[in-house]
């Protein structure tokens, strides 16, 4: 239901914020669609151009060279973008003011969709100027960034901190993962995740 609610509230003229290739191009990143040759060899993130379901579905890191066939960089509907380094943060803005900033920690560099922890941090983040008109129109906007680079925008809040928690540890296997002391489990199924250990 979250996708339906999110999608149907968006004006057709504003759907570009969900098109990660279009967003990346507007932000002047080194990027392109599958079939378009890279301009520089190196590490890239290859992922679906539009993915309302989130969770890094079908995203992967890839070393791309001039010898590689651009038609085979990824799947139809994917795009490639330069690889960014830095902290991965998610910011909830309400009427352009930051009300929640959380930092994510990955399980490993190869598992693009698996996180080991999200935690609230104190960080002042300015509302991105590229979204000024969007911010005038929608009260709730979530922005994901790596370092100072915007990588995703959503017209919703962060759904992983609705319990008043300051930490969320994704749970992928209840039998293998033990609940840390002073945490509790909340059910929140999404893709390969069962829920969270929160506190």
């Amino acid at each position: 239901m979250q996708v339906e609610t999110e999608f149907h509230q968006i004006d057709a003229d504003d759907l570009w914020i969900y098109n990660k290739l279009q967003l990346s191009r507007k932000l002047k990143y080194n990027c392109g669609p599958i079939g378009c040759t890279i301009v520089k060899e190196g590490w890239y993130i290859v992922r679906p151009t539009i993915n309302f379901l989130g969770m890094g579905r079908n995203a992967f890191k890839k070393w791309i060279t001039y010898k590689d066939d651009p038609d085979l960089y990824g799947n139809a509907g994917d795009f490639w973008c330069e690889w960014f380094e830095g902290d991965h943060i998610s910011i909830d803005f309400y009427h352009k003011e930051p009300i929640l900033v959380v930092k994510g920690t990955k399980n490993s560099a190869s598992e693009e969709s698996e996180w080991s922890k999200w935690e609230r941090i104190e960080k002042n983040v300015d509302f991105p100027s590229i979204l000024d008109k969007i911010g005038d129109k929608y009260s709730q906007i979530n922005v994901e960034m790596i370092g100072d680079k915007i990588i995703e925008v959503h017209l919703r809040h962060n759904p992983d901190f609705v319990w008043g928690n300051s930490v969320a540890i994704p749970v992928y296997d209840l039998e293998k993962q033990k609940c840390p002391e002073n945490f509790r489990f909340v059910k929140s199924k999404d893709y390969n995740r069962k829920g969270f250990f929160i506190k």
Side-chain angles (χ1 to χ4, degrees), residues 17-32:
I17 64 172
Y18 283 88
N19 184 316
K20 298 179 184 67
L21 173 57
Q22 189 171 354
L23 177 65
S24 297
R25 183 73 179 272
K26 280 177 172 284
L27 291 166
K28 303 186 186 306
Y29 298 159
N30 176 13
C31 63

Side-chain angles (χ1 to χ4, degrees), residues 50-150:
I50 296 178
N51 173 23
F52 271 85
L53 294 173
M55 295 287 290
R57 282 173 171 81
N58 301 318
F60 56 93
K61 183 179 182 179
K62 183 174 185 175
W63 178 265
I64 303 178
T65 72
Y66 297 128
K67 294 180 180 180
D68 295 323
D69 184 342
D71 290 352
L72 302 177
Y73 290 168
N75 298 309
D78 287 348
F79 80 106
W80 50 265
C81 183
E82 59 185 297
W83 182 265
F84 299 127
E85 297 287 351
D87 290 338
H88 190 131
I89 61 173
S90 170
I91 311 103
D92 280 357
F93 291 97
Y94 184 68
H95 293 293
K96 297 186 178 182
E97 292 296 323
I99 59 171
L100 174 69
V101 183
V102 299
K103 175 184 172 182
T105 302
K106 283 275 180 71
N107 276 337
S108 70
S110 62
E111 294 291 344
E112 295 310 319
S113 63
E114 287 204 357
W115 298 88
S116 60
K117 181 173 65 174
W118 287 95
E119 57 185 329
R120 182 190 293 261
I121 62 172
E122 294 299 323
K123 184 179 178 69
N124 186 38
V125 183
D126 293 331
F127 189 78
S129 59
I130 194 173
L131 301 175
D132 270 342
K133 291 183 179 179
I134 297 293
D136 291 337
K137 197 170 181 179
Y138 304 91
S139 60
Q140 286 189 334
I141 298 176
N142 172 267
V143 177
E144 288 193 38
M145 304 176 71
I146 295 179
D148 62 351
K149 305 295 187 183
I150 297 170

